Amino acid sequence: MKRALVIGNDDYPLEHQKLESCVDDANDMHDALRIIGFDVLRKRNSPLKDTQIATEKFLQSIQPGDTAFFYFSGHGCQLDGINYLIPTNDTDIDEESIKYRALNAQKLTTSVHARRPGLFIMVLDCCRDNPFADQASLKNFFGFRSTRFKDGLAPMKGPPSTIIAYACAPDQLSLAGSGNQRNSAYTCTLLHYIVLPMDIKTVFQKTAIDVHKTTGGYQKPYLSINYNKPMYLVNNYMVNNPALQNFLRGRRSCGPYIAPSKRRDVIRNHQSRVDASQYRWNAQFGMANNYQSRVNNSRIKNAALNICRSLLPDTN
């Protein structure tokens, strides 16, 4: 059997914490997984108690040998290397209370493994960079007062038969959808591949490549695999399913997704501190490799013009 729990949280308490695409992400992932044969439990804008109840129901449904799939779209954070998925009913989390007021992703992975599934797939499309927030980091975003909190998620090592897919690299932030973008950058691409008859590892690898392109190099998905066998969620017979064909026809192209302006400002402010690693630095941020050289050339030209003007006779 295929069992799945899908959670999408948009409606966070404070205005600058709210998201636009996570419920749509969860709805579309729910539809995609149902089409390919999963028994799906879906929660939207879920407070902690509802999240705990749904998680327990999901765990109890898993039988030995099942394929288990957990998907979360919303806000997340890390404390001391432990990843927490934030419910929608909390505004004042601190380092002492977060273990009781958010969903511990590592603990969930251990609990699923105890049910002895044939394969457990965890997809974490969180650590949002909210384009409408003025806060410089997720710590300020939620009012975290401890330096032990870090932006983004920490890499996790899953037990055997586990695949963990992150929307972005460790300690980094991902782009949620906004405006005319129904889905986040990561989920939009994943939905195109997850209903196709290909090995699940290939699904996530192709997704990562496309997300890197559609975000201009800003977002780099990360994948942790502890599973050596080929695994297909979709077989060739399922491709002819009319519901699957309708789902694919209804999908819009993904991107481009534009990085928030505050991240572009950070790039400009750090130009003078970039040295011999300029090529790698530019590639990391999706900028032209000759960006620094163009800036330097412009400065040289301006300096030369100023010298020439100083040598000209004063006509006044």
Side-chain angles (χ1 to χ4, degrees):
M1 296 292 293
K2 302 175 183 177
R3 314 285 186 179
L5 172 59
V6 171
I7 300 174
N9 290 339
D10 278 333
D11 193 19
Y12 287 90
L14 301 182
E15 189 62 32
H16 69 264
Q17 298 171 352
K18 295 184 184 298
L19 298 167
E20 293 188 24
S21 68
C22 297
V23 169
D24 287 334
D25 290 342
N27 287 337
D28 293 348
M29 185 60 65
H30 166 269
D31 294 344
L33 293 175
R34 284 195 65 186
I35 289 171
I36 61 176
F38 276 85
D39 179 13
V40 188
L41 175 61
R42 170 179 51 183
K43 302 299 292 185
R44 294 166 288 191
N45 292 324
S46 181
L48 178 60
K49 185 176 181 180
D50 289 351
T51 301
Q52 291 172 330
I53 292 173
T55 301
E56 184 60 28
K57 184 176 180 180
F58 169 62
L59 289 171
Q60 294 302 319
S61 71
I62 300 171
Q63 301 299 316
D66 284 353
T67 297
F69 192 107
F70 175 82
Y71 171 90
F72 179 85
S73 181
H75 284 303
C77 69
Q78 59 169 304
L79 173 68
D80 295 336
I82 304 297
N83 295 321
Y84 295 93
L85 311 179
I86 310 297
T88 59
N89 61 329
D90 236 319
T91 58
D92 192 23
I93 295 174
D94 58 35
E95 63 186 37
E96 301 302 326
S97 65
I98 189 170
K99 63 181 67 175
Y100 309 110
R101 297 163 69 174
L103 183 63
N104 184 322
Q106 276 96 328
K107 185 176 179 180
L108 175 60
T109 302
T110 302
S111 298
V112 170
H113 183 62
R115 304 291 297 180
R116 295 184 294 147
L119 173 64
F120 176 47
I121 302 168
M122 173 179 275
V123 179
L124 301 177
D125 190 0
C126 49
C127 302
R128 302 305 195 179
D129 197 346
N130 189 332
F132 304 106
D134 295 329
Q135 283 71 12
S137 74
L138 201 65
K139 293 188 288 291
N140 292 331
F141 202 57
F142 279 96
F144 295 158
R145 294 179 292 276
S146 170
T147 57
R148 291 164 57 194
F149 283 104
K150 292 184 179 180
D151 292 332
L153 294 182
M156 295 188 294
K157 293 183 178 180
S161 302
T162 301
I163 297 175
I164 305 175
Y166 305 81
C168 53
D171 306 326
Q172 299 298 313
L173 303 179
S174 64
L175 295 175
S178 61
N180 62 352
Q181 297 164 337
R182 175 178 172 84
N183 300 115
S184 72
Y186 187 80
T187 295
C188 183
T189 304
L190 178 59
L191 287 167
H192 280 281
Y193 288 116
I194 202 166
V195 295
L196 299 180
M198 60 178 65
D199 179 56
I200 189 62
K201 295 185 288 292
T202 304
V203 167
F204 288 117
Q205 289 163 355
K206 286 182 174 292
T207 297
I209 292 171
D210 285 3
V211 169
H212 188 257
K213 292 178 181 178
T214 59
T215 62
Y218 171 84
Q219 186 171 327
K220 301 175 182 177
Y222 181 77
L223 187 62
S224 173
I225 301 177
N226 192 358
Y227 188 76
N228 296 323
K229 302 176 184 177
M231 176 63 183
Y232 293 79
L233 299 182
V234 183
N235 58 43
N236 291 324
Y237 298 103
M238 297 173 65
V239 175
N240 298 321
N241 183 343
L244 190 152
Q245 293 296 326
N246 289 335
F247 179 84
L248 288 173
R249 281 194 292 268
R251 299 298 306 161
R252 293 185 294 178
S253 59
C254 299
Y257 288 80
I258 308 302
S261 58
K262 64 184 179 66
R263 180 56 58 93
R264 292 195 293 271
D265 291 340
V266 169
I267 293 173
R268 287 197 295 271
N269 292 339
H270 284 73
Q271 285 298 318
S272 61
R273 297 165 59 182
V274 177
D275 49 21
S277 61
Q278 181 67 42
Y279 179 88
R280 294 193 301 274
W281 189 88
N282 281 343
Q284 177 183 354
F285 287 94
M287 297 166 60
N289 292 334
N290 63 344
Y291 178 87
Q292 182 67 41
S293 62
R294 289 204 304 266
V295 173
N296 289 339
N297 288 341
S298 176
R299 290 173 179 169
I300 293 171
K301 290 177 182 178
N302 289 335
L305 287 173
N306 289 334
I307 293 173
C308 291
R309 291 192 185 99
S310 66
L311 295 176
L312 292 174
D314 190 352
T315 58
N316 292 330

